[in-house]
Amino acid sequence: AGAAPLEGIWRMVWTTAVDVLNLGANPVVAPAAIYQKIDPPTAINIIDFVPRLQSLLPGLPANVLRADVTTTAYSRVNMPGRVGLVFNSVSLQPVEVLGMAADALPPLGINFPKIPGADGSSGPGYFDILYLDEGMLIYKQNDPGGYFVLAKVDDCDP
């Protein structure tokens, strides 16, 4: 049997990455869930934010703001466990407002500038896969560093 595929939706269950842990330090909003949706060559980091008060008092009507960071993923030559990344865009989309679907509200987004000569096969962004099977992904990111443990899930609905 071959290696389990990286393709799918993965929910982060644990990390040591300071850049991700700092998301929880915001006094206004808190991350409710973090996913990676990998459909090669596209990988989307999905972060669902909720008001800090909602995270402390879960009975309040749901408010969810979703951030999508879209990247292109590349295999690295002679480095089978390394996945190179180029960051393409970020968008913010309200998902729920006061417990009601917010699909009619438009997303806000920006595209990142392309850096000449930088691509995922040789650029600075990457992560190293340490373990991968049908239900678990563990990797280490290069900068600012940190380990991630993710579990495969069926969807990323809030």
Side-chain angles (χ1 to χ4, degrees), residues 44-104:
I44 303 172
N45 295 324
I46 300 167
I47 307 169
D48 288 338
F49 291 100
V50 298
R52 175 68 61 188
L53 187 60
Q54 180 179 316
S55 68
L56 298 172
L57 303 169
L60 295 175
N63 293 282
V64 179
L65 176 67
R66 177 164 281 183
D68 287 352
V69 180
T70 302
T71 64
T72 303
Y74 296 85
S75 296
R76 292 282 175 102
V77 176
N78 298 322
M79 299 178 167
R82 181 161 290 178
V83 177
L85 299 171
V86 172
F87 290 85
N88 300 323
S89 64
V90 63
S91 70
L92 297 172
Q93 171 73 48
V95 176
E96 285 185 85
V97 176
L98 297 175
M100 295 183 290
D103 348 12

Side-chain angles (χ1 to χ4, degrees), residues 103-157:
D103 348 12
L105 297 173
L108 298 173
I110 60 166
N111 292 326
F112 296 122
K114 302 291 181 211
I115 300 171
D119 65 23
S121 64
S122 62
Y126 67 85
F127 63 86
D128 290 321
I129 297 172
L130 304 176
Y131 180 82
L132 174 62
D133 68 15
E134 302 81 23
M136 182 180 289
L137 166 62
I138 301 174
Y139 67 83
K140 180 181 185 284
Q141 73 178 5
N142 69 316
D143 192 25
Y147 293 88
F148 291 79
V149 177
L150 299 97
K152 194 168 238 183
V153 294
D154 294 329
D155 62 53
C156 50
D157 293 337

